[in-house]
């Protein structure tokens, strides 16, 4: 056997044929197994021990659910998810389960060949568009977490004042509602701005909302 041994697991015969033909036109690859279900993937991994398995997510039994059973028996098996799913949850689950790469089906044959070679040599890969989206999602989660941390720094009175301000109440109305002086409300607002690192009531209200707190109506 010469080159890298590849298994293709996908429940669309025409797609498998396309991958087989595309890689067949490029030196250095040999298709040693094909299948269309989770059970096929596990069996082929056991029977053929391919260098790399190309596997779809949407197939009987689920491609994502085939990863762990394969790696439990063959920890060094290289798996590439080749799919149309762009869901961040699918990407995360695939990588956390042990897949080495996540590739969208629109990839060209030459690019796919390079990805297979890279994965076979121990590298990982995620389609650039999905990688950028995941970084954006992680950044949003991080920002929300930071805002939650900042909100937690507010005293109970400052939180009450911010909650009412976010609902659109003026300092005067907040003072009346909380039975405190308007000057005291201004003092609380100043401390709220400082703690949340914001410069106005709108930004403070947005920080409260982004941290996951429901804004009540005044």
């Amino acid at each position: 056997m010469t080159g890298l041994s590849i298994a293709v697991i996908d429940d669309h015969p025409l797609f498998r044929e396309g991958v087989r033909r595309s890689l067949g036109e490029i030196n250095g690859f040999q298709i040693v197994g094909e299948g269309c279900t989770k059970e096929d993937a596990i069996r082929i991994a056991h029977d053929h021990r391919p260098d790399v398995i190309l596997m779809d997510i949407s197939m009987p039994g689920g491609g994502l659910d085939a990863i762990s059973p394969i790696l439990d028996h063959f920890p060094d098996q290289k798996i590439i998810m080749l799919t149309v799913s762009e869901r961040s949850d699918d990407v995360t689950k695939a990588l956390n389960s042990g897949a080495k790469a996540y590739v969208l089906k629109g990839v060209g044959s030459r690019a796919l060949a390079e990805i297979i070679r890279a994965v076979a040599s121990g590298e990982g890969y995620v389609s650039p568009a999905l990688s950028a989206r995941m970084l954006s999602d992680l950044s949003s989660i991080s920002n929300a977490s930071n805002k939650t941390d900042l909100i937690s720094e507010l005293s109970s009175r400052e939180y009450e004042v911010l909650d009412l301000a976010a609902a659109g109440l003026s300092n005067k109305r907040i003072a009346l509602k909380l039975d405190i002086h308007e000057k005291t409300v201004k003092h609380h607002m100043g401390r709220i701005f400082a703690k949340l690192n914001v410069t106005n009531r709108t930004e403070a209200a947005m920080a409260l909302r982004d941290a996951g707190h429901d804004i009540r109506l005044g």
Side-chain angles (χ1 to χ4, degrees):
M1 183 185 301
T2 60
L4 295 173
S5 57
I6 309 297
V8 184
I9 316 297
D10 192 291
D11 63 347
H12 291 85
L14 287 177
F15 181 78
R16 294 200 307 270
E17 180 182 342
V19 171
R20 183 175 64 246
R21 183 184 302 114
S22 296
L23 293 180
E25 295 172 354
I26 302 173
N27 290 331
F29 299 99
Q30 180 174 352
I31 305 298
V32 297
E34 293 185 39
C36 60
T37 68
K38 168 188 172 182
E39 288 70 25
D40 288 341
I42 296 171
R43 174 181 53 78
I44 289 171
H46 183 274
D47 293 346
H48 298 282
R49 296 302 310 278
D51 293 312
V52 176
I53 295 177
L54 301 178
M55 186 160 58
D56 193 11
I57 284 180
S58 300
M59 62 182 186
L64 292 173
D65 293 328
I67 300 173
S68 292
I70 291 173
L71 296 181
D72 284 346
H73 289 90
F74 310 107
D76 296 330
Q77 178 66 65
K78 307 295 194 304
I79 298 175
I80 296 176
M81 305 310 295
L82 183 57
T83 180
V84 298
S85 173
E86 299 185 25
R87 296 179 65 244
S88 295
D89 288 349
D90 286 340
V91 182
T92 300
K93 183 174 181 180
L95 299 179
N96 287 343
S97 296
K100 297 299 182 183
Y102 196 101
V103 184
L104 295 178
K105 282 187 174 180
V107 67
S109 58
R110 296 287 173 179
L112 178 59
E114 289 302 315
I115 294 167
I116 293 173
R117 292 190 185 102
V119 169
S121 68
E123 298 179 26
Y125 179 89
V126 175
S127 292
L130 297 180
S131 181
R133 184 181 303 169
M134 289 179 69
L135 287 174
S136 176
D137 290 346
L138 288 173
S139 177
S140 296
I141 292 171
S142 176
N143 287 338
S145 176
N146 288 338
K147 287 171 181 172
T148 299
D149 290 342
L150 292 175
I151 292 296
S152 69
E153 293 297 317
L154 300 180
S155 69
S156 58
R157 177 62 85 185
E158 288 166 351
Y159 183 86
E160 285 182 307
V161 170
L162 175 57
D163 191 28
L164 293 171
L169 274 66
S170 65
N171 286 351
K172 186 174 183 177
R173 288 184 62 196
I174 293 173
L176 290 171
K177 198 168 189 69
L178 298 180
D179 194 24
I180 57 178
H181 294 294
E182 186 175 351
K183 185 176 180 179
T184 303
V185 174
K186 291 180 180 179
H187 173 72
H188 284 313
M189 290 302 299
R191 288 182 57 82
I192 290 168
F193 291 171
K195 287 184 178 182
L196 300 184
N197 193 28
V198 298
T199 59
N200 56 58
R201 298 163 77 95
T202 300
E203 290 179 355
M206 289 177 62
L208 183 66
R209 180 202 63 194
D210 291 346
H213 295 259
D214 292 331
I215 296 173
R216 66 182 180 183
L217 297 178

